[in-house]
Amino acid sequence: MAAGCCGVKKQKLSSSPPSGSAGAGGGGSGSRCGGAAAAGGEPGALPPPGVPRLNGLAGLAGGAAGCALSQPLPPSCGGGPAGLSPPASSLLSSPGAGSGGTGCRKMVVSAEMCCFCFDVLYCHLYGYQPPRSPRFTNDPYPLFVTWKIGRDKRLRGCIGTFSAMNLHSGLREYTLTSALKDSRFPPMTRDELPRLFCSVSLLTNFEDVCDYMDWEVGVHGIRIEFINEKGSKRTATYLPEVAKEQGWDHIQTIDSLLRKGGYKAPITNEFRKTIKLTRYRSEKMTMSYTEYLAHRQHHHFQNGIVLES
């Protein structure tokens, strides 16, 4: 279900949809990013491939109008070719995540996933038919789609899910949900496209820990569950990069999450010890709109097709 994760724009908590209901944008349950807290999924779903069952946690359970002819049609919009093979840069090795990880493995996330998100958003904003299914894996993963904008890369929208969703449908859904239905921001417009950056995060290696300090800044994302001063259960999450980007230590990160989750009472060390914390890792890929256009144009040049300028 919903969970805030990356950034600090607002201290606002949205209620999560009831279990089994569709989140914003339909389909799986949505998780708002950018520092707003929301309810996370509950344990029980089958984990994505390669995610071990740790401490009894098998992953967290789950979830166009008007055409502008002045803009070129991206190659994969409206029934064009489905996409291209991931470039060499997407096949970087990363150390085995989580306890017991050994050796190196190829990353699942790829530049083509960011391209696909741009395809989906572009086609929606310009009223084209949605792009075809891409060629990258359709295995299920918990995922987040993050949009940033401008040279300073300000947060523009971020929503995802702790449900393990098939990547093709999950990225379609959360591309538009994060771009158009993040309540902290107005819906994205065509004029903003050239200044956008898209990040895809695939979440892996969920571990329940007994000590709220048992995680590493810049390595682990964290999801906390706590009982607020009114006796209600609340949850909140930050993706792995958030604490490092903000310059926070463990305590500052935990306290920020509690505030984002709506906890208003004084935060004591004794209260922190009551928090239930789940740590996780993510694979992340980021692409700018300029890189997206170059990627797509190069692909179609190779296939004898050149985008209009």
Side-chain angles (χ1 to χ4, degrees):
M1 293 185 183
C5 61
C6 59
V8 291
K9 180 175 174 63
K10 278 191 180 180
Q11 295 187 9
K12 181 179 180 181
L13 178 70
S14 66
S15 60
S16 60
S19 177
S21 67
S29 304
S31 301
R32 186 165 291 105
C33 201
E42 297 300 324
L46 291 176
V51 178
R53 292 176 180 264
L54 297 168
N55 298 313
L57 182 66
L60 296 179
C67 228
L69 301 180
S70 60
Q71 291 289 328
L73 175 65
S76 60
C77 286
L84 63 158
S85 299
S89 61
S90 71
L91 300 179
L92 300 174
S93 295
S94 62
S99 61
T102 58
C104 293
R105 61 181 179 82
K106 289 184 178 180
M107 292 175 66
V108 175
V109 73
S110 69
E112 184 60 18
M113 294 179 187
C114 295
C115 281
F116 180 63
C117 291
F118 269 119
D119 285 344
V120 171
L121 180 60
Y122 189 107
C123 293
H124 177 86
L125 291 178
Y126 283 96
Y128 296 121
Q129 291 295 315
R132 282 180 170 178
S133 294
R135 295 176 181 172
F136 53 75
T137 178
N138 196 29
D139 288 340
Y141 283 88
L143 60 92
F144 278 81
V145 177
T146 303
W147 297 101
K148 295 188 178 182
I149 192 166
R151 293 182 179 179
D152 55 351
K153 297 185 179 180
R154 302 183 310 279
L155 184 66
R156 186 60 181 84
C158 182
I159 299 179
T161 178
F162 281 97
S163 304
M165 292 189 69
N166 291 333
L167 287 176
H168 295 179
S169 59
L171 290 177
R172 282 185 194 272
E173 176 177 340
Y174 286 101
T175 288
L176 297 181
T177 302
S178 60
L180 306 174
K181 298 185 178 182
D182 189 328
S183 62
R184 297 161 299 168
F185 305 94
M188 208 169 282
T189 65
R190 300 174 187 176
D191 292 341
E192 294 177 286
L193 273 171
R195 298 182 289 136
L196 290 178
F197 295 82
C198 177
S199 296
V200 171
S201 298
L202 307 184
L203 311 185
T204 64
N205 296 87
F206 292 89
E207 300 174 274
D208 280 340
V209 297
C210 298
D211 184 348
Y212 71 92
M213 297 283 283
D214 188 11
W215 56 279
E216 186 176 345
V217 173
V219 173
H220 296 108
I222 58 172
R223 175 184 181 272
I224 64 170
E225 181 180 294
F226 61 94
I227 305 298
N228 69 10
E229 61 274 18
K230 297 181 180 180
S232 299
K233 182 186 294 186
R234 308 306 291 265
T235 66
T237 189
Y238 279 141
L239 293 177
E241 64 269 19
V242 174
K244 185 176 181 180
E245 289 175 352
Q246 297 295 329
W248 293 334
D249 59 21
H250 289 72
I251 298 297
Q252 290 170 318
T253 305
I254 294 293
D255 289 359
S256 175
L257 270 181
L258 287 169
R259 295 305 186 203
K260 300 302 179 184
Y263 187 73
K264 298 178 180 179
I267 301 173
T268 65
N269 195 49
E270 289 304 311
F271 180 75
R272 294 187 191 103
K273 291 179 180 178
T274 69
I275 293 170
K276 178 182 177 181
L277 189 142
T278 300
R279 69 186 186 187
Y280 58 88
R281 301 197 183 203
S282 77
E283 296 182 6
K284 181 180 178 182
M285 182 68 68
T286 299
M287 174 177 285
S288 69
Y289 184 74
T290 300
E291 291 169 330
Y292 158 68
L293 288 182
H295 207 161
R296 287 303 191 214
Q297 288 173 337
H298 177 67
H299 171 64
H300 275 262
F301 178 76
Q302 288 180 325
N303 286 277
I305 304 172
V306 182
L307 284 175
E308 298 176 5
S309 59

